[in-house]
Amino acid sequence: MAIITSHFAIVKSTVHFPCMSNQHRSLKPTAVRMSMKQQSRNSHPYWASMQADIEAHIKQFITIKEPLVVFEPMHHLIINAPKTTLPALCVAACELVGGERHEAISAASALLIMEAATYTHEHLPLTDRPKPEFGMNHVYGPNVELLTGDGIVPFGFELLARSDGGENSERILRVMVEISRAVGSRGVIEAQYRKAMGSRSDGEEMCHVEEIRRVVEKYEGGLHSCGAVCGGVLGGGSEEEIEKLRKIGSYVGMIQGMVQRGFSGSKEVDEARNLAIKELEFFKDKEVDAIKTFLNV
Amino acid sequence: MAIITSHFAIVKSTVHFPCMSNQHRSLKPTAVRMSMKQQSRNSHPYWASMQADIEAHIKQFITIKEPLVVFEPMHHLIINAPKTTLPALCVAACELVGGERHEAISAASALLIMEAATYTHEHLPLTDRPKPEFGMNHVYGPNVELLTGDGIVPFGFELLARSDGGENSERILRVMVEISRAVGSRGVIEAQYRKAMGSRSDGEEMCHVEEIRRVVEKYEGGLHSCGAVCGGVLGGGSEEEIEKLRKIGSYVGMIQGMVQRGFSGSKEVDEARNLAIKELEFFKDKEVDAIKTFLNV
C-alpha cells in the first residue's frame, strides 16, 4: 500500500494557528487554495478515482444556469472549496460493507457541499471577527458569500432527497438526520463556537493542544464519523457494522484534523490510528485496504 | 368570517423601505419585534391555535441543553424570529385535502425554523452591508448569529427527517425537496440577491413597485407556495390538489408580502386575491374557510 501524503486532505485551519512552531507552519497559504488536480497528483489512486466520481456527480446538479448571479457564485464556491477526505471516506465505508459506489455517491456529494458551505461562512468578513492574515481568496463580496453559503446547504439536502428512486427513502432519511447533526449544533457548529471562543482579540487562535483536540473531535471527528455511518447505512451494513464505522470514522477525522493542524507525529494521532486499527479487526473478512489508506497520513 | 388584521403576519422588511410614503411607513420598528402573544391577540383563533401547536412542537425539540453556548442562542433566535403566516398555511393546506394537523406539524415547524435562519442572516452586520436604520435587536454578536443561523437550517431538516415513523418517508423526502428549493437558490436566496442588488449604497432599498413585486413573488410567494404544497403532500392530497395548492400558496404569499411592505390596497394584492379565489373553486366540496382567512388581510 502506497503511503498517502497529506496533500489530498488539504488544510482548512492550519494557517490560523500562528502559535504553532515554525515546523508546523510550514504549509504555505497557497497550498490552501491548491487545485484538486494538483492535490490528486500526490494522492492515492483510489481516493482520486472516488473524488472524480463525486465531483462529476455534483457537476450534473450545479450546472451554471439562470439566474447566473445566484448559480455562478454557488458553482464557484462549491468547486473551489478545499477538498477533504470526508466524501471519499463515505464511499469507502459503503464499499466496505458490500455496497456499491453509486449507492453512496449522493451522500458523499452532500457532505462535500456541506463542507463548502462551512468553509465559505468560516471565511466571511464579519464586523466582530479579526481579519485573518491568510485565508480564502474572496472573489465575491461578503453579502454574496453569505447568501451563497445559505443557498449551498439546502442544495446539499435537495441533492440527497432527490437521490432516492423510491426504494431507499428510509435510509436516505436516516442519513439526513446524521448529516444534520454532524454539520449542525451538535457537531461543526459546536466546534466553531469552541474555536471562536478560543480566539484571542488580536486574531491569534488557541494553541493548547487539548483544546485543539476537542475542536478536532467535534469538527473533523464528527464529520468523518458521520461520513462513515452514511456510507455504512447506504451500503446496507448491519447495525453492528454501522456502529463500528461510527468509531472508525471518528478516529479517521481525529487523524486528519490533527495532521492538518501540524500535529502529524503527535500521540493523539498515534492513539487514534491504533484505536481505528483495533476497530477494523471487526471487518477482518472484508476488504479493508481502502479504509486503511485514511489512517496512513 | 372575521376580518384578519395583518399583525399576525408580522413584517420583516417594511422598515427597510424608506422610499415608501409615510402612510406605508406607519408600522413602527417596535412592531417588528412584537411578541407572539401580542400578535395572537389580533389574529384569527384558527391561526392562533395552529401557531400554538407548531411552537409547542418545536419547543419539544429545542429544549435548552448543553452546550448552552450553542443551544441558548439557537433557542432565542428561533423563538424570537418574527412570525409569518407560512407555517399555519402549511397546516391549513393539509387539513383542506383531508389530512390531520399532526401530519403537517413537522413540516410547518421546519418552515418556521427556516424562516428564523433567514431572518437571522438577513440582519447580520457584514462589512459590505449598509447599517439598517431599524432592525433586529441583536442580543448576540455577529459571529454567534452567523453560526447560530448555520445551525438552525440543519436543525430544521433534522426535525423533519426524524418525523417519519417509517411509513411516510417518501412524502417526507418530497417535502424536503420542496423546502430546499424554496429556501435555497431558486427561492429565498434568489430573492435576497435581487433585493441586495436593488439596494442603494446609502442603505435605501429599491422602491419600484414592479421590482418589489418580483422579490415578493420569489420570497413570500415561493415560501407560501412551498408551505401549501408540503401541507397537501403530507395530507395525502392528489397531484391535482397539490398543484392547485401550489398556485394558491403563491397568491397567499403575494398578498402577505405586498401587505407587509405597505401595499395593502394595491392592484397586485387585489389581483392575487381574485386569482386565489378562482383556484379555490376547485375545492368547492371541501372546507375552504380556513384557507380563505389567509386572503383577507
Side-chain angles (χ1 to χ4, degrees):
Chain A
M1 180 68 51
I3 298 298
I4 309 303
T5 75
S6 65
H7 288 253
F8 184 91
I10 212 63
V11 177
K12 272 183 180 172
S13 309
T14 307
V15 294
H16 295 302
F17 284 79
C19 54
M20 286 177 190
S21 72
N22 280 338
Q23 180 207 335
H24 290 143
R25 297 174 68 188
S26 62
L27 193 70
K28 296 289 184 297
T30 47
V32 176
R33 296 191 292 274
M34 193 188 275
S35 74
M36 193 54 226
K37 204 172 166 186
Q38 285 170 294
Q39 293 164 42
S40 302
R41 261 185 233 148
N42 297 311
S43 68
H44 194 276
Y46 179 75
W47 290 9
S49 139
M50 274 193 288
Q51 187 72 26
D53 283 3
I54 294 163
E55 292 202 356
H57 187 76
I58 291 174
K59 281 178 183 166
Q60 281 177 30
F61 286 87
I62 48 161
T63 49
I64 296 182
K65 56 192 165 191
E66 287 291 343
L68 285 185
V69 72
V70 175
F71 282 97
E72 201 276 324
M74 195 159 120
H75 187 272
H76 175 90
L77 291 168
I78 291 176
I79 298 300
N80 290 283
K83 304 298 179 287
T84 79
T85 37
L86 173 62
L89 179 67
C90 175
V91 177
C94 174
E95 292 182 336
L96 178 68
V97 298
E100 287 179 31
R101 186 175 294 197
H102 72 88
E103 294 177 292
I105 202 89
S106 290
S109 302
L111 288 166
L112 186 151
I113 289 165
M114 300 297 172
E115 285 196 304
T118 302
Y119 180 78
T120 302
H121 280 187
E122 274 181 352
H123 293 82
L124 213 54
L126 288 167
T127 51
D128 71 343
R129 272 188 186 175
K131 207 175 172 182
E133 197 184 345
F134 306 116
M136 184 170 167
N137 180 18
H138 292 280
V139 176
Y140 306 99
N143 210 347
V144 169
E145 282 180 6
L146 172 72
L147 291 178
T148 306
D150 285 346
I152 290 173
V153 171
F155 171 68
F157 281 108
E158 183 190 338
L159 188 147
L160 193 50
R162 284 171 63 194
S163 68
D164 179 45
E167 292 163 8
N168 219 12
S169 51
E170 282 180 48
R171 285 184 188 170
I172 301 276
L173 284 180
R174 186 169 169 189
V175 160
M176 281 191 164
V177 173
E178 293 286 345
I179 294 180
S180 300
R181 287 181 182 173
V183 302
S185 311
R186 273 171 284 188
V188 168
I189 301 295
E190 189 186 338
Q192 287 177 320
Y193 264 102
R194 282 185 182 277
K195 206 168 136 188
M197 286 188 301
S199 295
R200 298 213 311 257
S201 58
D202 58 2
E204 299 225 345
E205 293 186 26
M206 61 200 172
C207 51
H208 189 272
V209 178
E210 179 51 30
E211 188 53 32
I212 292 171
R213 200 196 62 76
R214 276 204 293 269
V215 169
V216 171
E217 192 174 13
K218 275 279 166 197
Y219 200 124
E220 286 86 352
L223 282 176
H224 283 77
S225 176
C226 164
V229 167
C230 292
V233 168
L234 294 168
S238 68
E239 288 308 315
E240 212 175 351
E241 286 175 324
I242 290 165
E243 288 316 307
K244 288 285 170 189
L245 282 169
R246 191 183 297 282
K247 287 184 186 169
I248 292 166
S250 175
Y251 299 135
V252 169
M254 177 58 75
I255 295 168
Q256 299 290 335
M258 292 307 280
V259 169
Q260 283 164 26
R261 287 170 173 79
F263 297 93
S264 54
S266 66
K267 73 170 173 51
E268 286 80 8
V269 169
D270 288 345
E271 204 173 86
R273 187 181 292 119
N274 291 336
L275 288 165
I277 288 167
K278 206 172 162 189
E279 296 292 341
L280 267 176
E281 286 170 12
F282 181 79
F283 297 97
K284 60 180 182 293
D285 302 330
K286 309 262 185 183
E287 176 50 75
V288 294
D289 281 358
I291 292 281
K292 275 188 178 167
T293 65
F294 295 90
L295 309 177
N296 298 323
V297 285
Chain B
M1 181 68 50
I3 299 296
I4 309 302
T5 75
S6 66
H7 289 254
F8 184 91
I10 211 63
V11 177
K12 275 182 181 174
S13 310
T14 307
V15 293
H16 296 302
F17 283 80
C19 54
M20 285 176 189
S21 72
N22 280 338
Q23 180 205 335
H24 291 145
R25 298 175 66 188
S26 62
L27 192 69
K28 295 289 186 296
T30 47
V32 177
R33 297 190 291 275
M34 192 188 275
S35 74
M36 193 55 227
K37 203 171 166 186
Q38 286 170 295
Q39 294 163 41
S40 303
R41 260 183 231 148
N42 298 311
S43 68
H44 194 274
Y46 179 74
W47 291 7
S49 139
M50 274 193 287
Q51 187 72 27
D53 282 3
I54 294 162
E55 292 203 356
H57 187 75
I58 291 174
K59 281 178 184 166
Q60 281 176 29
F61 286 86
I62 48 160
T63 49
I64 297 181
K65 57 191 164 192
E66 287 292 342
L68 286 184
V69 71
V70 175
F71 283 97
E72 202 276 324
M74 194 159 122
H75 188 272
H76 175 90
L77 291 168
I78 292 176
I79 297 300
N80 290 283
K83 303 298 179 285
T84 79
T85 38
L86 174 61
L89 179 66
C90 175
V91 178
C94 174
E95 292 182 336
L96 178 66
V97 298
E100 288 180 31
R101 186 174 295 196
H102 72 88
E103 293 177 292
I105 203 89
S106 290
S109 302
L111 288 165
L112 187 151
I113 289 165
M114 299 297 170
E115 286 197 304
T118 302
Y119 180 78
T120 302
H121 279 189
E122 273 181 353
H123 293 79
L124 212 54
L126 287 167
T127 52
D128 70 341
R129 272 188 186 174
K131 208 174 169 180
E133 197 183 348
F134 306 116
M136 183 172 169
N137 181 19
H138 292 279
V139 176
Y140 306 98
N143 210 348
V144 169
E145 283 180 6
L146 172 72
L147 292 178
T148 307
D150 285 345
I152 289 174
V153 171
F155 172 68
F157 281 107
E158 182 190 338
L159 188 146
L160 193 50
R162 285 172 62 194
S163 68
D164 178 45
E167 292 164 8
N168 220 13
S169 52
E170 283 181 46
R171 285 183 187 171
I172 300 276
L173 284 180
R174 186 170 169 187
V175 159
M176 279 189 166
V177 173
E178 293 287 345
I179 294 180
S180 299
R181 288 181 182 175
V183 302
S185 310
R186 272 171 286 188
V188 168
I189 301 296
E190 189 186 336
Q192 287 177 320
Y193 265 102
R194 283 184 179 277
K195 206 168 136 188
M197 286 188 302
S199 295
R200 298 212 312 258
S201 58
D202 59 0
E204 298 226 345
E205 294 186 28
M206 62 201 170
C207 51
H208 189 270
V209 177
E210 180 51 29
E211 188 53 31
I212 293 172
R213 199 195 63 77
R214 276 204 292 270
V215 168
V216 170
E217 193 173 12
K218 276 279 165 195
Y219 201 126
E220 286 86 352
L223 282 175
H224 283 77
S225 178
C226 164
V229 167
C230 293
V233 168
L234 294 169
S238 68
E239 289 307 314
E240 212 174 350
E241 286 176 325
I242 290 165
E243 289 315 307
K244 287 286 171 192
L245 283 168
R246 192 183 296 282
K247 287 184 184 169
I248 293 166
S250 175
Y251 299 135
V252 169
M254 177 59 74
I255 295 167
Q256 299 290 336
M258 292 306 280
V259 168
Q260 284 164 25
R261 286 168 174 78
F263 297 94
S264 55
S266 66
K267 73 170 172 49
E268 285 80 9
V269 169
D270 287 345
E271 206 173 84
R273 187 182 293 117
N274 291 337
L275 288 166
I277 288 167
K278 208 173 160 188
E279 295 292 340
L280 267 175
E281 286 170 12
F282 181 81
F283 297 97
K284 60 181 184 293
D285 302 329
K286 310 263 185 183
E287 177 49 76
V288 294
D289 281 357
I291 292 282
K292 276 188 177 166
T293 63
F294 294 90
L295 309 177
N296 298 321
V297 286

